Amino acid sequence: MKVLVTGVAGFIGMHTALALLARGDEVVGIDNINDYYDPQLKLDRLAHIQSQIESSWPNARFAFQKLDLADDAGMDALFQAQGFDAVVHLAAQAGVRYSLQNPRAYSQSNLSGFVNVLEGCRHTGVKHLVYASSSSVYGGNVKMPFAETDPVDHPVSLYAATKKANELMAHTYSHLYGLPTTGLRFFTVYGPWGRPDMAPMLFTRAIRAQEAIKVFNHGKMRRDFTYIDDIVAGVVGTLDRIPGPDAEFNREVPNPSSSWAPYRVFNIGHSEPVELMDFIAALEKALGQEAIKDFQPIQPGDVVATFADTARLEAWTGVHPGTSIDEGVRRFVEWYVAYFGSRSKA
């Protein structure tokens, strides 16, 4: 296939592009290389894709274009020129806490930008759009594990609200134009080349520098930490199965994760939530250093726990996440030390 990967210089985008290239797909990647975090990491991810191509797949077809999702004319031109078979839409303004500080960035990228992706797919006959939603859509829900059939009408951050909006927008295009769409609610993703604003990177940097780590809600938090390889397996697995109308959909008792239209939504997580203090302990073990802990109250926009029910994704794709926390953290720390070992900015 010829696949567009948006946010290709991002954490999940880079790994997804590599997986698609490894199996022979042609990949076009776009990213605006914004400065939400250090753009050098994004440039290094792109360089890593190129080095993998040169060393492992010399005949691979990969092209990168610097482009902002909210550039209407640029996005229209991209879709018209390329003729994609499928789109994996991972670009977005990320970050729950940052959405409290800079809300307009989220409406521009996550809403206007998503409309441009939908319009591009609609007008050029894209066969399948897979897009990133988020576990944050579950907001104030307390029933565990989170299931796709649960209502998600009480977000606690603007970021979460934009991701719920993306699911609604996708359904509209699936209904009106027959565009097959699959939304993936990602649960806390970690691993090599991860985001520096996320806990694994923040904690690792501080532990190595013998600085205190901020442990929110006094450590009483649980996250469904999911290793990047398991996430990518789920992304590719859903990309390969194009949804059709759900013959069992009941309009009197509607299932929010399916439709009479070619539309599906899935959780994508490890389905084994980990206590935050246990995750910190795994980092300490891998680093051979003890963390200095600064216990603080929960932050606005945060939730106490996440826990994914992944039964529907596993039934749909056959993918079962199998990377343990100890193994995933070990691989992450090995990459971190190799990447930042000689860099003063770490």
Side-chain angles (χ1 to χ4, degrees), residues 51-264:
S51 69
Q52 290 294 105
I53 291 172
E54 292 171 0
S55 63
S56 303
W57 320 300
N59 296 319
R61 294 165 296 170
F62 174 72
F64 171 73
Q65 181 176 338
K66 186 177 179 181
L67 181 62
D68 194 300
L69 292 176
D71 178 349
D72 299 352
M75 290 292 288
D76 287 347
L78 174 76
F79 274 91
Q80 291 293 337
Q82 294 289 346
F84 301 113
D85 297 304
V87 174
V88 180
H89 175 54
L90 301 170
Q93 178 57 60
V96 169
R97 294 171 193 152
Y98 186 65
S99 69
L100 278 67
Q101 304 166 25
N102 193 4
R104 288 184 175 86
Y106 291 77
S107 64
Q108 182 178 16
S109 178
N110 300 7
L111 300 178
S112 297
F114 193 56
V115 168
N116 284 337
V117 171
L118 290 168
E119 280 289 280
C121 291
R122 169 196 171 192
H123 288 293
T124 60
V126 168
K127 299 177 181 67
H128 191 192
L129 166 62
V130 175
Y131 63 94
S133 185
S134 169
S135 63
S136 66
V137 300
Y138 290 103
N141 292 15
V142 295
K143 180 188 78 65
M144 297 287 171
F146 295 148
E148 299 93 334
T149 52
D150 297 337
V152 286
D153 299 318
H154 299 89
V156 295
S157 71
L158 181 64
Y159 171 73
T162 65
K163 289 300 185 177
K164 169 65 184 297
N166 286 170
E167 295 179 4
L168 298 174
M169 294 157 76
H171 183 269
T172 303
Y173 273 68
S174 294
H175 164 66
L176 290 175
Y177 308 114
L179 171 66
T181 66
T182 302
L184 297 175
R185 293 174 177 171
F186 292 112
F187 283 68
T188 314
V189 189
Y190 75 100
W193 297 98
R195 276 172 39 198
D197 61 321
M198 299 289 285
M201 291 271 271
L202 293 171
F203 288 173
T204 301
R205 187 208 63 79
I207 293 170
R208 294 184 80 209
Q210 297 183 311
E211 297 172 356
I213 63 173
K214 294 181 179 180
V215 184
F216 294 114
N217 203 36
H218 306 282
K220 297 179 175 62
M221 301 182 79
R222 300 166 72 215
R223 288 290 182 270
D224 203 339
F225 288 101
T226 311
Y227 189 66
I228 183 62
D229 289 1
D230 295 329
I231 287 287
V232 171
V235 172
V236 174
T238 52
L239 181 67
D240 288 344
R241 184 167 181 187
I242 300 175
D246 183 355
E248 298 180 0
F249 186 80
N250 184 347
R251 295 195 190 212
E252 293 184 355
V253 188
N255 175 356
S257 68
S258 69
S259 176
W260 63 86
Y263 168 91
R264 297 291 188 281

Side-chain angles (χ1 to χ4, degrees), residues 12-43:
I12 302 174
M14 182 206 76
H15 284 280
T16 299
L18 288 172
L20 294 173
L21 289 167
R23 71 178 198 171
D25 290 329
E26 179 179 358
V27 175
V28 175
I30 66 168
D31 203 294
N32 68 356
I33 319 290
N34 68 28
D35 61 358
Y36 169 65
Y37 58 79
D38 186 2
Q40 187 59 51
L41 177 58
K42 302 177 183 183
L43 296 174

